[in-house]
Amino acid sequence: MRFPSLRVDGKVALITGTGSGIGQASALALAEAGAKLVLTELPDRLEAAEATARTAAEDYGAETLAVPLDVTRLDTIGSMVERTLERFGQIDVLVNNAGINIPKFALDVTEEDWDRVLDINLKGLFFTSQAVGREMIKRKSGKIINIASQMGVIGYYKRSAYCSSKAGVVNLTRVLAIEWAPYGIRVNCIGPTFLETPLTAPMFQDEAFYQDVVGRIPLGHIGKPEDVVGAVVYLASPGSDMVSGHTLLVDGGWTAW
C-alpha cells in the first residue's frame, strides 16, 4: 500500500495577504513543504510580502514572487494571475486569506462598514477564486483553500458583518466544490478560532474580552498562526485528494460545546 504524500514539491501556491498572520505562516509552511510561492499584499504593504518572500527563499529555498493585490479591485486580480502565469506557467494551489473585521454591535454598523467587510472577505474571495479557477479548469487540477473562521458557523458579539461574510465563504466553498469537481479541483475551507496576531493583539488587551474568548475554548488558550498551517498544507497536498467542500475547524474545541 502506498500512502499519499503531505508534500507539495514543485507546486505553485498563490497566497493572498501574506504580510503577517495566517497568510505569512501559511506561505512559509508551504515553502517548507516544497512549494513555489506567489505572495500578495496590498500595494502600500507590498514590502511586508517581499519580506515574507525573502524568508521563504533564504530559509527554505523557495522560488518566490511578490505581487500587489487589492481584492476589491478586479483589475488587480487579473493582473496578479497574469504575472503568476508569466513567471510560473500555472497555479496549483490558491489560499484565499485576505480579510478584515470591523467589530461593532449590529445597531452601530454602517453601510460603509458592511460593504467594506463583505467586499474583501466574500466578494474579493469569490472573484479571486473565479480568476484562478479558470486557469485550474484548463489544467483539470487544483486546490483552493479558503480561510474563513469559526465565525462562519457560529455567532458572536460585534461580528454581524464578519460572521455574515465568513458564513458566505463556508457555503461558497461548497458550491465551488460541487461545480468544479468535474475538473479535478478540490475546494475546501478552514475555520480558525481567535488567533494572536499583530492585528488582533490590541483587542486582547481588554481582559474581559480575552477571558470570555478563552473561556469558550475547551483547550483553554487562543491560537497562533502556526496552529493553522498544518491544515493548510494538508489541504494543499495529495493527502487530501478525497476531501472537497469541507470546512476544517481549527478552533480548540469551541464549536464542540
Side-chain angles (χ1 to χ4, degrees), residues 162-186:
Y162 187 76
C163 285
S164 298
S165 70
K166 294 302 186 178
V169 170
V170 168
N171 223 29
L172 174 62
T173 296
R174 296 185 179 110
V175 173
L176 298 183
I178 293 166
E179 290 193 4
W180 295 349
Y183 306 103
I185 300 169
R186 282 77 168 172

Side-chain angles (χ1 to χ4, degrees), residues 94 96 125-137 140-144 146 172-187 244:
L94 168 64
N96 280 309
L125 179 147
F126 170 73
F127 282 103
T128 301
S129 298
Q130 184 189 69
V132 173
R134 285 195 175 103
E135 299 304 320
M136 290 180 169
I137 285 170
K140 298 188 181 302
S141 177
K143 299 285 188 80
I144 297 177
N146 296 322
L172 174 62
T173 296
R174 296 185 179 110
V175 173
L176 298 183
I178 293 166
E179 290 193 4
W180 295 349
Y183 306 103
I185 300 169
R186 282 77 168 172
V187 187
S244 198

Side-chain angles (χ1 to χ4, degrees), residues 42-105:
L42 289 167
D44 61 355
R45 298 192 68 242
L46 187 59
E47 289 183 0
E50 291 171 339
T52 301
R54 285 194 296 273
T55 300
E58 293 169 3
D59 292 0
Y60 305 108
E63 294 183 53
T64 64
L65 173 67
V67 182
L69 173 66
D70 179 348
V71 296
T72 66
R73 292 183 49 197
L74 301 191
D75 60 323
T76 70
I77 295 174
S79 62
M80 171 202 65
V81 171
E82 289 176 5
R83 289 189 60 184
T84 299
L85 296 177
E86 288 172 2
R87 173 68 180 274
F88 293 116
Q90 65 195 58
I91 303 172
D92 300 293
V93 178
L94 168 64
V95 182
N96 280 309
N97 169 70
I100 65 163
N101 178 31
I102 302 175
K104 289 184 178 181
F105 286 113

Side-chain angles (χ1 to χ4, degrees), residues 150-160 163 194 216 254:
Q150 67 181 18
M151 297 300 165
V153 298
I154 61 171
Y156 193 70
Y157 308 97
K158 296 185 177 182
R159 300 294 189 280
S160 56
C163 285
F194 285 93
R216 295 170 187 263
W254 182 311

